[in-house]
Amino acid sequence: MSSEVRVLIIDPDTAAAQKLGLALDSAGFSVTWCSFAPTEVVDAVRDFNPSLLLVRSEVSSPQLAALLVRVEGKPLPVVLLCKDLSEQRFTKAWRSGVVELLPEPFSGRAHLAKLRALPDELSSRTGELLGRGVRELNEALTHFMRTRRTGALEVGDDAVAYFTRGVLRGAHMREFTGQAALSAMVRED
């Protein structure tokens, strides 16, 4: 590894976290783990100073939403070990927050290679998400809010919505502004 990758595993199952930690440690990663408990997460992020979080959670989990709130002061890449990979296409553009979805169960060969390559890959990501169609836009918008993204969501040349930690802060599209503009952007005609 070109630089040390420090992985904080966050998992409600301590035994599973320890097993995962041993696999990562054997592969040369610096690793520690904790549960989703708020004080454990805050202490582990502060004391261990991870370069990425490996979290056993679905994107739609309320536990993940609470975790993202707790770590938003320190922009870290978050890799989810999960069953539902349907939002994976939305994670590939980002450098922090939820940046990768890996399928459960953990597979040493496939997952370790991805975790090893991820830090270099993140530096080349653009932060731009491209897509087509109202359905995909609605799915991207849901992902943007669920994963507490901050940034602009541009639709074509005449529409943009601004978010701070997943909350709409402003939008405009032709004669519409605010929530009306956002609704116009995602309306199926």
Side-chain angles (χ1 to χ4, degrees):
M1 278 177 270
S2 57
S3 64
E4 182 183 39
V5 178
R6 300 176 61 79
V7 180
L8 172 59
I9 300 166
I10 302 173
D11 192 329
D13 181 346
T14 304
Q18 289 175 343
K19 184 177 177 183
L20 185 54
L22 290 172
L24 293 175
D25 183 61
S26 295
F29 292 88
S30 292
V31 65
T32 193
W33 54 85
C34 67
S35 71
F36 278 90
T39 55
E40 283 188 40
V41 171
V42 170
D43 290 347
V45 168
R46 182 191 63 236
D47 298 341
F48 183 64
N49 194 28
S51 48
L52 71 85
L53 305 180
L54 179 58
V55 182
R56 188 178 309 269
S57 175
E58 299 300 321
V59 175
S60 60
S61 166
Q63 284 183 310
L64 177 64
L67 172 70
L68 293 172
V69 170
R70 284 193 292 279
V71 300
E72 67 189 11
K74 183 169 183 172
L76 290 165
V78 177
V79 176
L80 299 183
L81 194 56
C82 57
K83 291 181 172 70
D84 181 5
L85 304 177
S86 63
E87 294 185 39
Q88 190 167 32
R89 66 191 182 277
F90 301 125
T91 66
K92 296 293 187 184
W94 316 120
R95 295 181 187 133
S96 64
V98 179
V99 299
E100 188 70 46
L101 305 180
L102 298 177
E104 277 196 298
F106 181 78
S107 164
R109 185 175 303 150
H111 291 95
L112 291 172
K114 185 61 182 175
L115 291 173
R116 194 169 279 117
L118 192 59
D120 291 332
E121 182 185 312
L122 291 176
S123 65
S124 66
R125 292 188 178 183
T126 64
E128 294 179 7
L129 181 64
L130 302 174
R132 294 182 176 195
V134 173
R135 180 174 170 236
E136 188 169 3
L137 177 61
N138 276 302
E139 290 171 354
L141 181 62
T142 299
H143 175 82
F144 213 77
M145 291 186 299
R146 189 182 341 218
T147 58
R148 301 184 52 81
R149 298 279 179 204
T150 295
L153 184 62
E154 296 179 12
V155 180
D157 294 331
D158 65 342
V160 64
Y162 301 98
F163 293 87
T164 303
R165 293 184 289 286
V167 176
L168 180 66
R169 294 297 180 203
H172 60 83
M173 179 177 178
R174 295 185 296 272
E175 70 275 6
F176 302 108
T177 60
Q179 187 62 46
L182 185 61
S183 295
M185 285 180 220
V186 298
R187 189 175 302 130
E188 293 188 59
D189 291 325

